[in-house]
Amino acid sequence: MPAMNMIQALNSALDAMLERDPNVLIFGEDVGYFGGVFRVTDGLQKKHGVTRCFDAPIGEGGIIATAIGMGVYGLRPVVEIQFADYIYPGYDQIVSEMARIRYRSAGDFYVPITIRTPYGGGIFGGQTHSQSPEALFTHVAGLTTVIPSNPHDAKGLLISAIESDDPVIFLEPKRIYNGPFDGHHDKPVEPWAKHPLSDVPEGHYTVPLGKAAIVREGADVTVLVYGTMVHVALAAAKESGVDAEVVDLRTLIPVDIETIVASVEKTGRCIIAHEATLTSGFGAELCALVQEHCFYHLEAPIERVAGWDTPYPHVFEWDYFPGPKRIADAMLRAMEA
Amino acid sequence: MRNRVSLNLHIPQPKHRPGEKAEFSYVLVPKAGIVERPASDAKAQDITSLAYSLIRVLDDEGRAVGPWNPKLDPETLRKGLRAMMLTRAYDDRMFRAQRHGKISFYMKSTGEEATSVAYALALEHEDMCFPSYRQQGLLIARGYPIFDMMCQCYSNARDPLKGRQLPIMYCSRKDGFFTISGNLGTQFPQAVGWALASAYKGDDRIAVSWIGEGATAEGDFHHALNFASIYRAPVILNVVNNQWAISSFQGIAGGEESTFAARAIGYGLPGLRVDGNDFLAVYAAAQWASERARANHGATLIELFTYRVEGHSTSDDPGRYRPADEGKAWPLGDPIERLKRHLIGLGEWSEAQHETLATEIAELVRETQREAEAIGTMEGGARPPLGTMFEDVFKDMPWHLRAQRKQAGA
């Protein structure tokens, strides 16, 4: 199997689905001839034709709305929003329309759309190229929210998202497009080729939605993470010496409660980490779920490690980013409790 | 040089308010039949004058005149008349049901029936409509049962939408009627997307959407026109200019300095301005735009110039913001009266036949209402089972909704 980075794996997923299903089509800003600012759609227009992968005007509300119309017709559009930070002009179409069309029509209409968008910080993108808005989608009834953390999952999850008959928000952690960045910004990032999960099968395969993966087994503390933070948590486990069990959620809603509960019941401790701002972040939901399901197994308070409640600061990027040191400290505090 | 004139903030005001005399002298009413009808493949830039005129077919004597006369057979005309009359009778009945506390809310389409009914007859049944909340005439003209519409309004056990939507927010895939949203204008770019999908698949169906003049101020209106123009979508985009958005006159939506049809010009789309109370003119415009779309010449924006005879909904009192007699001063008449007069003039209808049909329709609506109310109203009776509240959020119910359904006792 070829070694692929996240970009190549996502490209391979799109290629496989264009090949397989004539109802799949791709559009978004700069995704056609040029192949996208992050190159995820590179070569797809040339290979599959201009009506299968084309450029859209700079109008996220229009992109999402037209995708909804296409989905209602019976197509499976995959649209790219160039940065998650640009998705807000389309938020009304996502929340009031896309998420509810199956419900409000009592199943008469549905919209099998995938919205792909790069998110997260670590690239010195400032306020408008760094945000992690996942909680704005997990809070909306009817949306499936997916975040991959490695090339293998990225491809399999994207194919599952496209094949899903429900709308999917597919957030791509852009900091790990090219390698499993672990939060050590002062060290070079290893390329994906050296990582076992860069082995990406050719052609069609799926990674199921709604299923978490245990990426590191451990006995002492459960760490619930997704996206870039999976790799930061693994570094923290290594550096703290705490035998942490790292759970990569992969799908945020519907969340894999069984895997979470089994892990926390085993370890008795739980840390939750995400890049997004702390207050009302998805970590708050995870914290409540763990408390509701595992209270009598907990031996320490649940702790959240997250972005501070400020806009994403340009020059203080690494003071803002919840790096391995902050997670390691949280693990040690949990062990001392 | 500094500007030494004091700057003024302009806030548009309607010509008349409650207590003042209603007058529409500023409304341009050209004679019927004088507007030219270009070929349906004409270049948008060559026909911009259509956006500033008013396409009218029925003259003051009820005759059909001019190049836009669609020359419909009497059977189609009678069908249109019946559907408009049924829509009005249905509206009256359901409005009263709200006043009796049997439904939570209602919106009438009185005076605007032609903007839906003429379309339903001009389009193919398979064409997809993305309506706003005042196009009940489409469903009625397409033969959707008023019993189902009533059950939707009552949110009872036979409501096809399982009690999930406000009254009048109907939906019927098989009748090409997209689920209505309460967020205004969202359906406009969705219709464009549907049309693009139809073109992508090499289908022959087109999409049609309706929006109020008030909602043209939304960004979605711009998205729809822009995307429709860029990708040459086979779609007809209608602005129903009924002069009022709840209490805001059309000037607040930007109608003071230009027409809504003229919005099309900057996008390189044809913009037609049509007498929306003239059944034949609406039919003819729909036919022109549909011909254009079906031949791959792209989208058309149509302003249907009409008047909202009643309040916005059951929740507002129009007497608080416009003169009580404003409707009487409206210069374009009533769509049902005008079509009736035309049919009588053709010798294809009579006062007696009209009377009989009106009675028949009133009886049908009353009887159907009895049947629907026997199932349930907001006051009581059979509702959809509670457990259905948790269905259709996702295709398959995830664990958290199953758990919540149990907690809710369903």
Side-chain angles (χ1 to χ4, degrees):
Chain A
M1 290 191 290
M4 290 189 194
N5 63 26
M6 292 270 276
I7 293 164
Q8 292 163 325
L10 292 162
N11 182 278
S12 172
L14 295 170
D15 183 36
M17 288 309 294
L18 286 169
E19 195 76 56
R20 189 182 171 95
D21 183 352
N23 287 332
V24 171
L25 81 171
I26 296 165
F27 62 107
E29 295 156 19
D30 301 301
V31 305
Y33 185 84
F34 177 58
V37 297
F38 290 102
R39 321 300 307 143
V40 173
T41 56
D42 191 25
L44 296 176
Q45 184 179 82
K46 192 171 182 200
K47 181 171 175 188
H48 298 280
V50 287
T51 63
R52 306 292 307 280
C53 179
F54 56 86
D55 292 326
I58 304 168
E60 293 77 13
I63 291 171
I64 293 166
T66 45
I68 291 170
M70 290 176 180
V72 165
Y73 178 96
L75 303 185
R76 290 184 185 273
V78 185
V79 297
E80 177 177 304
I81 300 300
Q82 202 161 72
F83 284 87
D85 316 68
Y86 302 168
I87 208 164
Y88 309 120
Y91 197 57
D92 181 42
Q93 286 284 346
I94 293 173
V95 175
S96 315
E97 302 294 314
M98 186 174 93
R100 297 191 206 147
I101 283 172
R102 182 189 291 281
Y103 191 77
R104 77 177 200 221
S105 71
D108 209 13
F109 293 100
Y110 64 98
V111 280
I113 304 172
T114 304
I115 300 178
R116 288 182 41 245
T117 186
Y119 88 102
I123 63 155
F124 276 105
Q127 291 173 40
T128 53
H129 305 81
S130 305
Q131 295 167 69
S132 296
E134 66 272 18
L136 300 179
F137 305 110
T138 57
H139 191 60
V140 178
L143 295 180
T144 301
T145 303
V146 177
I147 301 183
S149 71
N150 60 71
H152 177 273
D153 286 358
K155 179 171 175 182
L157 286 167
L158 182 54
I159 291 177
S160 291
I162 298 169
E163 290 180 341
S164 169
D165 286 339
D166 290 317
V168 177
I169 304 288
F170 193 89
L171 295 164
E172 300 170 2
K174 64 173 106 61
R175 187 62 178 84
I176 58 170
Y177 268 151
N178 290 302
F181 173 72
D182 66 1
H184 287 292
H185 55 92
D186 44 355
K187 294 181 194 149
V189 181
E190 285 211 330
W192 274 113
K194 296 194 175 170
H195 193 284
L197 288 169
S198 70
D199 271 354
V200 175
E202 298 273 10
H204 178 275
Y205 70 92
T206 58
V207 170
L209 304 180
K211 293 279 177 225
I214 295 173
V215 295
R216 184 189 190 283
E217 287 197 21
D220 290 346
V221 55
T222 297
V223 188
L224 302 179
V225 278
Y226 44 87
T228 305
M229 297 308 288
V230 169
H231 307 284
V232 180
L234 288 169
K238 197 170 157 191
E239 289 151 25
S240 65
V242 174
D243 187 17
E245 179 145 296
V246 178
V247 179
D248 176 0
L249 295 177
R250 304 199 290 194
T251 301
L252 272 50
I253 296 289
V255 75
D256 183 356
I257 192 71
E258 284 176 22
T259 301
I260 293 172
V261 169
S263 179
V264 176
E265 285 186 353
K266 182 176 80 173
T267 63
R269 293 175 169 83
C270 182
I271 306 288
I272 297 156
H274 56 58
E275 285 181 66
T277 46
L278 179 78
T279 302
S280 300
F282 191 61
E285 184 59 39
L286 292 171
C287 186
L289 285 172
V290 170
Q291 192 276 139
E292 284 163 19
H293 288 81
C294 312
F295 181 73
Y296 295 105
H297 292 83
L298 288 173
E299 291 170 34
I302 305 164
E303 197 164 334
R304 289 179 292 161
V305 182
W308 309 118
D309 284 337
T310 69
Y312 209 102
H314 187 244
V315 73
F316 299 120
E317 176 135 53
W318 301 117
D319 300 286
Y320 177 92
F321 189 91
K325 172 81 168 61
R326 280 177 60 198
I327 298 179
D329 289 350
M331 288 174 177
L332 292 168
R333 278 195 298 275
M335 295 313 295
E336 284 162 12
Chain B
M1 272 276 286
R2 274 185 63 192
N3 175 10
R4 296 295 173 187
V5 176
S6 301
L7 298 170
N8 292 319
L9 175 62
H10 173 66
I11 310 292
Q13 297 296 330
K15 296 283 182 217
H16 39 248
R17 285 294 194 186
E20 295 170 348
K21 189 175 157 45
E23 56 99 14
F24 286 97
S25 60
Y26 62 94
V27 172
L28 160 91
V29 186
K31 280 176 80 157
I34 62 162
V35 178
E36 278 188 43
R37 184 186 191 277
S40 63
D41 62 354
K43 275 193 180 313
Q45 68 205 51
D46 297 336
I47 55 173
T48 53
S49 65
L50 291 173
Y52 299 101
S53 187
L54 197 67
I55 296 168
R56 307 181 70 219
V57 172
L58 289 171
D59 70 10
D60 295 344
E61 279 73 49
R63 289 174 306 218
V65 293
W68 286 89
N69 179 6
K71 303 195 171 104
L72 300 178
D73 61 79
E75 202 43 55
T76 305
L77 296 174
R78 281 190 290 263
K79 207 175 154 190
L81 183 69
R82 183 183 185 278
M84 290 200 289
M85 289 168 71
L86 179 53
T87 303
R88 188 167 297 182
Y90 174 84
D91 276 348
D92 285 340
R93 211 65 213 175
M94 297 317 285
F95 185 88
R96 268 182 282 164
Q98 194 277 341
R99 291 295 187 245
H100 294 154
K102 292 171 180 170
I103 60 176
S104 60
F105 176 80
Y106 195 73
M107 302 177 97
K108 298 171 96 170
S109 62
T110 310
E112 302 173 43
E113 293 90 348
T115 64
S116 299
V117 172
Y119 255 99
L121 300 189
L123 296 171
E124 300 292 332
H125 193 88
E126 291 71 27
D127 292 331
M128 185 69 191
C129 298
F130 289 78
S132 80
Y133 47 70
R134 226 183 287 277
Q135 269 76 53
Q136 48 266 54
L138 281 173
L139 273 179
I140 288 177
R142 281 187 164 183
Y144 187 78
I146 59 168
F147 173 78
D148 289 8
M149 292 171 73
M150 285 177 174
C151 290
Q152 193 281 326
C153 291
Y154 291 123
S155 284
N156 66 24
R158 292 284 296 278
D159 171 7
L161 304 183
K162 303 182 184 176
R164 292 176 187 161
Q165 282 268 57
L166 260 184
I168 63 98
M169 302 229 173
Y170 313 107
C171 167
S172 177
R173 185 186 184 92
K174 71 172 172 45
D175 296 297
F177 191 94
F178 187 61
T179 161
I180 291 171
S181 177
N183 288 31
L184 301 191
T186 51
Q187 74 280 10
F188 232 43
Q190 291 166 0
V192 174
W194 195 97
L196 295 178
S198 188
Y200 171 84
K201 295 296 278 184
D203 198 342
D204 59 3
R205 295 175 294 165
I206 63 170
V208 188
S209 191
W210 289 257
I211 195 175
E213 89 286 351
T216 63
E218 293 281 5
D220 276 335
F221 176 75
H222 162 72
H223 290 316
L225 268 65
N226 204 29
F227 277 66
S229 169
I230 291 164
Y231 301 113
R232 217 170 284 170
V235 67
I236 310 175
L237 299 168
N238 296 287
V239 176
V240 181
N241 179 1
N242 67 10
Q243 316 302 319
W244 290 98
I246 306 187
S247 71
S248 303
F249 86 115
Q250 48 96 30
I252 292 293
E256 231 178 19
E257 303 295 339
S258 188
T259 70
F260 292 95
R263 304 291 195 264
I265 295 169
Y267 297 92
L269 297 174
L272 312 183
R273 196 155 168 277
V274 178
D275 178 349
N277 289 14
D278 177 341
F279 181 89
L280 295 180
V282 176
Y283 189 102
Q287 203 175 36
W288 186 91
S290 118
E291 229 174 80
R292 183 175 180 90
R294 284 182 218 284
N296 281 310
H297 298 302
T300 302
L301 179 72
I302 301 180
E303 176 180 351
L304 300 164
F305 198 73
T306 182
Y307 180 73
R308 197 192 77 206
V309 172
E310 301 278 351
H312 166 69
S313 74
T314 44
S315 305
D316 65 309
D317 170 9
R320 302 282 295 273
Y321 50 79
R322 68 183 190 190
D325 65 343
E326 195 192 59
K328 291 198 184 76
W330 175 247
L332 295 176
D334 176 80
I336 293 179
E337 286 307 312
R338 287 173 71 186
L339 184 59
K340 173 189 161 192
R341 188 168 180 196
H342 175 60
L343 266 164
I344 291 174
L346 290 176
E348 293 289 347
W349 198 241
S350 68
E351 290 288 354
Q353 279 174 298
H354 198 81
E355 190 89 353
T356 309
L357 180 60
T359 311
E360 204 178 282
I361 283 172
E363 182 52 35
L364 169 72
V365 174
R366 213 170 22 245
E367 188 48 41
T368 311
Q369 188 186 25
R370 263 198 293 273
E371 287 169 32
E373 289 189 356
I375 291 158
T377 72
M378 283 302 277
E379 289 179 315
R383 289 184 170 191
L386 180 61
T388 61
M389 178 166 76
F390 297 92
E391 294 169 2
D392 301 319
V393 180
F394 296 93
K395 186 181 183 187
D396 302 311
M397 197 180 297
W399 70 269
H400 62 284
L401 286 174
R402 287 198 303 274
Q404 288 169 28
R405 184 175 59 180
K406 204 170 156 194
Q407 282 172 28

